[in-house]
């Protein structure tokens, strides 16, 4: 398959004209800190806005999505074509994995929202999948310069087998309303359980291929270095940032809260991962010991609430910690990772 200069598949398909970009440079607006994430479903106005290359302003009448590559037949859809198909609503965690230049720094940019759209697997069933297809490439209409490198389009990829775990949408709604421009209008890819960088906004093309896409946001950035033990076990030196690792954040008490000794208090928060959380443990002594929290069951791809009743007996500065374990027993590292254990300092006078 021939490639153009930003490594997207050409296949003699004319690229769309670049829509106006407003702004035409990166956008980074962070709205909520963990103690502000009190709502089970995050309001659209409270979502972080992260756009490396700016925000395209797209006229819906001129927009289309093309699906091609290793398929039985190519398919081009307009927004009305998508809306004419059965709509599915998926509630899911949506998490930014943090800066690609500081992959070991936790940022806790996470939300839980409702996406409305069409199952991608159903669209692929319509057109057929070639047995050689192993990866799905997705292209957004945003392009430009990022960190001194130029790219024509924002390009990501993911293993095609992820579709069979369910929930992957071509979404045109967010929280029961049309997508705002900042979040991908008129349509975007949504991959529940994968970090947000994989859910390409302002989507214009999907391409099925035998191999991974080679590009700035696939094999250069958003790739984690494997440790020595992983490499010795046969893992590649670089691993793509795909599935969300287990994580928990404490919502309450808030940082620097003052809690009376002997007062009954609830420590609570949210936990999530690609595979789902099996248990959450909470520490009230800075991680020296942990107690198992009450954990609500998982519903689809949404985050899970945990809680622990606490009546502090000791006075002074106290550090609270929470750690999540997924269904495979994987937990959070103490430090040095994007999902490092979350801590909150409170005072008991």
């Amino acid at each position: 398959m021939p490639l153009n200069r930003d490594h997207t598949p050409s296949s003699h398909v004319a690229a769309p004209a670049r829509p106006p970009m407003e702004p035409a440079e990166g956008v980074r607006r962070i709205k909520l800190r963990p103690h502000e994430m009190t709502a089970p479903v995050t309001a659209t106005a409270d979502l972080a806005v992260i756009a490396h290359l700016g925000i395209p302003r797209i006229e819906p009448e001129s927009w289309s999505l093309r699906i091609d590559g290793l398929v039985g037949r190519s398919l081009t859809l307009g927004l009305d074509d998508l809306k004419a198909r059965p709509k599915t609503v998926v509630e899911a965690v949506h998490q930014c994995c943090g800066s690609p230049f500081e992959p070991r720094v936790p940022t806790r940019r996470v939300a839980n929202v409702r996406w409305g759209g069409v199952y991608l697997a159903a669209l692929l069933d319509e057109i057929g999948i070639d047995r050689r297809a192993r990866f799905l490439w997705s292209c957004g209409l945003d392009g430009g310069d990022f960190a001194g490198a130029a790219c024509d389009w924002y390009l990501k990829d993911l293993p095609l087998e992820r579709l069979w775990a369910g929930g992957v949408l071509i979404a045109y709604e967010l929280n029961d309303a049309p997508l705002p421009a900042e979040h991908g209008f008129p349509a975007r890819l949504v991959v529940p359980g994968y970090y947000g960088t994989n859910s390409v906004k302002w989507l214009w093309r999907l391409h099925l291929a035998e191999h991974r896409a080679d590009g700035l946001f696939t094999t250069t950035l958003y790739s984690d270095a494997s440790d020595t033990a992983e490499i010795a076990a046969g893992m590649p030196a670089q691993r793509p940032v795909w599935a969300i690792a287990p994580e928990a954040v404490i919502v309450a008490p808030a940082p620097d809260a003052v809690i009376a000794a002997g007062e009954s208090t609830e420590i609570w928060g949210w936990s999530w991962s690609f595979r789902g959380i099996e248990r959450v443990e909470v520490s009230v002594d800075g991680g020296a010991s942990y107690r198992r929290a009450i954990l609500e069951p998982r519903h689809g791809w949404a985050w899970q609430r945990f809680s622990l009743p606490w009546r502090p007996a000791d006075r002074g500065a106290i550090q609270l910690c929470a750690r999540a374990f997924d269904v495979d027993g994987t937990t959070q590292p103490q430090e040095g990772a994007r999902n490092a254990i979350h801590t909150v300092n409170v005072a008991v006078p």
Side-chain angles (χ1 to χ4, degrees):
M1 180 72 66
L3 303 175
N4 65 18
R5 70 181 179 91
D6 67 329
H7 307 288
T8 56
S10 60
S11 301
H12 309 294
V13 174
R18 171 90 57 222
M21 302 285 286
E22 185 184 332
E25 65 278 338
V27 177
R28 180 181 174 274
R29 296 200 295 267
I30 311 304
K31 303 295 184 71
L32 300 181
R33 294 168 292 175
H35 68 277
E36 297 168 317
M37 300 173 184
T38 56
V41 175
T42 310
T44 301
D46 289 334
L47 298 181
V49 177
I50 301 172
H52 291 321
L53 305 166
I55 297 176
R57 305 292 170 166
I58 301 167
E59 295 297 331
E61 298 81 7
S62 63
W63 175 86
S64 65
L65 169 65
R66 179 177 176 82
I67 306 175
D68 60 20
L70 294 176
V71 294
R73 62 180 177 89
S74 297
L75 179 66
T76 299
L77 298 165
L79 187 57
D80 288 342
D81 298 320
L82 278 178
K83 291 182 175 180
R85 287 166 165 77
K87 185 179 81 171
T88 298
V89 175
V90 173
E91 184 177 329
V93 167
H94 189 67
Q95 183 180 15
C96 170
C97 68
S99 168
F101 304 109
E102 296 180 310
R104 298 183 182 277
V105 176
T107 59
R108 323 292 185 191
R109 299 168 190 160
V110 63
N112 189 70
V113 297
R114 289 166 50 87
W115 303 105
V118 176
Y119 275 135
L120 177 55
L123 292 177
L124 294 178
D125 282 344
E126 286 185 32
I127 60 179
I129 302 174
D130 190 299
R131 60 181 178 81
R132 296 171 295 167
R134 295 182 56 235
F135 294 93
L136 176 74
W137 301 9
S138 48
C139 298
L141 282 165
D142 47 335
D145 294 332
F146 181 69
C151 63
D152 287 343
W153 313 104
Y154 186 85
L155 169 67
K156 295 295 291 187
D157 64 10
L158 56 89
L160 193 59
E161 64 185 18
R162 167 60 192 87
L163 269 64
W164 318 138
V168 179
L169 296 180
I170 307 301
Y172 50 83
E173 288 184 355
L174 171 59
N175 287 339
D176 306 310
L179 284 172
E182 291 79 3
H183 297 292
F185 179 84
R188 65 177 292 164
L189 184 65
V190 169
V191 188
Y194 274 31
Y195 286 105
T197 180
N198 301 286
S199 291
V200 173
K201 300 186 284 285
W202 313 292
L203 190 67
W204 72 271
R205 193 175 187 190
L206 295 170
H207 178 82
L208 276 64
E210 292 182 84
H211 55 85
R212 291 200 64 202
D214 181 19
L216 178 62
F217 297 104
T218 54
T219 53
T220 302
L221 302 177
Y222 294 109
S223 291
D224 286 344
S226 299
D227 60 33
T228 303
E230 290 172 327
I231 294 173
M235 296 287 287
Q238 297 286 330
R239 295 173 288 109
V241 178
W242 283 337
I244 295 176
E247 191 165 351
V249 296
I250 295 171
V251 175
D256 303 319
V258 176
I259 301 168
E263 178 180 299
S264 180
T265 301
E266 181 187 48
I267 303 169
W268 76 272
W270 305 110
S271 60
W272 63 90
S273 80
F274 172 66
R275 295 180 180 86
I277 299 302
E278 187 272 332
R279 75 179 189 276
V280 173
E281 296 176 345
V282 173
S283 172
V284 297
D285 54 15
S289 64
Y290 281 87
R291 286 185 277 171
R292 188 162 183 160
I294 301 165
L295 179 66
E296 293 186 352
R298 189 186 196 193
H299 296 288
W301 297 95
W303 56 19
Q304 296 168 251
R305 191 183 192 274
F306 67 87
S307 62
L308 180 76
W310 178 47
R311 191 183 298 272
D314 298 330
R315 299 176 186 271
I318 293 177
Q319 185 178 75
L320 308 177
C321 313
R323 64 184 183 188
F325 295 76
D326 71 14
V327 296
D328 290 340
T330 304
T331 190
Q332 300 175 242
Q334 186 68 38
E335 57 187 11
R338 65 171 56 88
N339 67 324
I341 289 174
H342 184 225
T343 63
V344 172
N345 294 318
V346 298
V348 181

